[in-house]
Amino acid sequence: MDEELVSKKDLLELTGISYGQLYRWKRKNLVPESWFVRKSTFTGQETFFPKEKILARIDKIKNMKEDISLDDMAEVFSPLPTGIEFSAEEIISRKIISEAALAIFPAEEQREKISFQHMLFLFVVDKLLQSGDANLDEAKNVMATLLSSYSKFEHKACELFFIRKLGVAFCFLSVVPGEIQFEENIKVVARIEINSCVEELKIKIS
Amino acid sequence: MEKQYRRDLKIAGSGSAAGGKYDNVLINGDGDISGDLDCNDLKVNGMSEINGAVKTKSGKIKGMATFNGNLKADVFFMVFGTCAIRGSVEAKDMHVEGNANVSENATGERIEIKGAINIKGDCTAEAFISKGAFTIGGLLNADTVDVNLYGPCRAKEIGGERIMVRKGTGFKFGKLIKSLLLSLDLDVVKLSTETIEGDDIYLEYTKAKAVRGNNVVIGEGCDIGVVEYKSTFEQSNKSKVRENKKVR
């Protein structure tokens, strides 16, 4: 997780935005709370940001704000956009999610339309399947974990870990930023940042 | 969904009720509610403890109320007595003329304090107007921060576009606040914070480690570690600023 960080002061200079703007965007949830990294420096506490992410985000906001309001923009960046629904046929015909992944979606959660959140879960599981990291049974476990636990994080940025020990697969969710150490013979097969999946998925469906 | 008929809930004297969906909820006397409450209007004149999350259009507390859960008010929430919220509060228009305690975050479009408020988490609003005292454990983030100092004010950080801190005049509010905050040191009518960041900043009687902004004016009675400004900087000679830097 060693990303290059940029201090708030440098960020403002680099992008030409003001404190007022930055705080307003934070208020509107255009910049996620988890990007505000506090570190102590010789002048006291200072706030840093992951450089690449914040620059890309500010760029997007600046481009979009000509056309849409800040509140609408919050919806675009929100980890859980409402009002986006697709039918199973649409998902497959538009190649958003593979048929194999859709097949493991538990029958009791099946609806006529699939919500964005469920699409997100399918998307994550599909990634594991497509890369060959998980087999169908393991993917079912991951799906069940996402269905039961993701909502507990309440939109906080989180990461899915898929690990193996002696060939047996485990998965769990963890809030980012956070550090996790494993015992020696555990192999981390995949780490998937859910929020970056959200953005990928949004691009795919739009 | 079928249309639901909502009834009123009235407690006069002493009583208790389960939560649920109601039209108007009126508590005169002592009434506890056990469970989540969803109503159009909530009025407490007396004492009440609500053990659950509350969702209402409007709420008025004249007396004492304890919310053991989150509170959401779509239109307004007013406190004229004492109110403790052991969760977070989200109210479009929040008005505190008495004393309020919030254990988590407070969010609103307009938050106006004429008494005292204590927020353990962050406070987020478009306009934050204080004519009393406040303690905010996290960040105070508002487009306009307008503080008239009548009592000790504290926030970990303050950020926004326009930030104005002035010493209050007159004694009317001072007396009110003194009566509410007997335990605190009352001679310290001051705002203390670690950092203040905004576009246009005017400060009086403020103690801060760092102040950063475009246009910064430091009035009397301030003690500031460092001022970083982009365009203009003014300082009263009755203030102490250890260092000032012009940044690009």
Side-chain angles (χ1 to χ4, degrees), chain B residues 79-82 95-100 113-117 176 180:
Chain B
V79 178
F80 296 99
T82 302
H95 201 99
V96 176
E97 286 200 14
N99 196 347
I113 315 294
K114 282 184 182 163
I117 195 166
L176 171 72
L180 290 166

Side-chain angles (χ1 to χ4, degrees), chain A residues 68-122:
Chain A
I68 58 174
S69 73
L70 288 179
D71 287 315
D72 291 340
M73 227 188 281
E75 183 76 9
V76 176
F77 292 126
S78 144
L80 236 181
T82 48
I84 300 179
E85 284 184 333
F86 282 94
S87 67
E89 295 80 50
E90 264 179 289
I91 290 181
I92 294 186
S93 66
R94 293 181 58 183
K95 296 204 169 77
I96 299 169
I97 287 150
S98 77
E99 236 167 303
L102 206 58
I104 65 154
F105 198 59
E108 64 270 21
E109 298 279 348
Q110 296 272 11
R111 306 267 188 286
E112 226 171 274
K113 296 268 180 184
I114 298 174
S115 68
F116 184 86
Q117 185 164 15
H118 285 163
M119 261 200 291
L120 175 67
F121 297 165
L122 286 166

Side-chain angles (χ1 to χ4, degrees), chain A residues 49-60:
Chain A
F49 299 89
K51 192 170 178 180
E52 235 171 81
K53 285 187 194 161
I54 190 87
L55 287 179
R57 178 63 58 95
I58 287 177
D59 221 41
K60 270 193 211 164

Side-chain angles (χ1 to χ4, degrees), chain A residues 8 18 42 59 80 83 85 105-106 113 123-124 142 151 165-166 173 177 185 195:
Chain A
K8 195 188 272 173
S18 69
F42 65 95
D59 221 41
L80 236 181
E85 284 184 333
F105 198 59
K113 296 268 180 184
F123 186 74
V124 172
V142 175
S151 57
K165 186 184 177 187
L166 304 173
L173 286 164
N185 44 8
N195 276 17

Side-chain angles (χ1 to χ4, degrees), chain B residues 9 11 60 93 110 112 143 171 212 219 221 240 245:
Chain B
L9 170 67
I11 296 176
K60 235 182 223 181
D93 195 340
R110 187 185 160 89
E112 201 172 332
D143 206 47
F171 294 98
R212 308 187 181 101
K240 197 162 94 185
K245 286 194 276 204

Side-chain angles (χ1 to χ4, degrees), chain B residues 152-156 158 188 190-194 205-208:
Chain B
C153 293
R154 229 169 277 140
K156 185 148 185 285
I158 300 174
V188 200
K190 215 167 202 186
L191 168 72
S192 37
T193 176
E194 280 183 19
Y205 296 92
T206 298
K207 186 173 184 330

Side-chain angles (χ1 to χ4, degrees), chain A residues 8-9 12-13 16-21 23-24 26-28 33 38 43-47, chain B residues 124-126 139 141-143 157-161 194 197-199 212-214 228 230 248:
Chain A
K8 195 188 272 173
K9 209 196 298 171
L12 297 188
E13 199 191 314
I17 61 170
S18 69
Y19 283 111
Q21 272 171 310
Y23 280 105
R24 185 173 312 126
K26 185 185 180 188
R27 270 205 309 279
K28 299 281 182 194
E33 174 73 42
R38 278 166 227 290
T43 50
Q45 286 256 323
E46 265 204 68
T47 308
Chain B
T124 308
E126 292 308 306
L139 167 71
N141 180 350
D143 206 47
E157 292 171 273
I158 300 174
E161 195 173 281
E194 280 183 19
E197 292 175 337
D199 295 348
R212 308 187 181 101
N214 288 349
E228 289 170 14
K230 248 188 195 158
R248 274 169 295 146

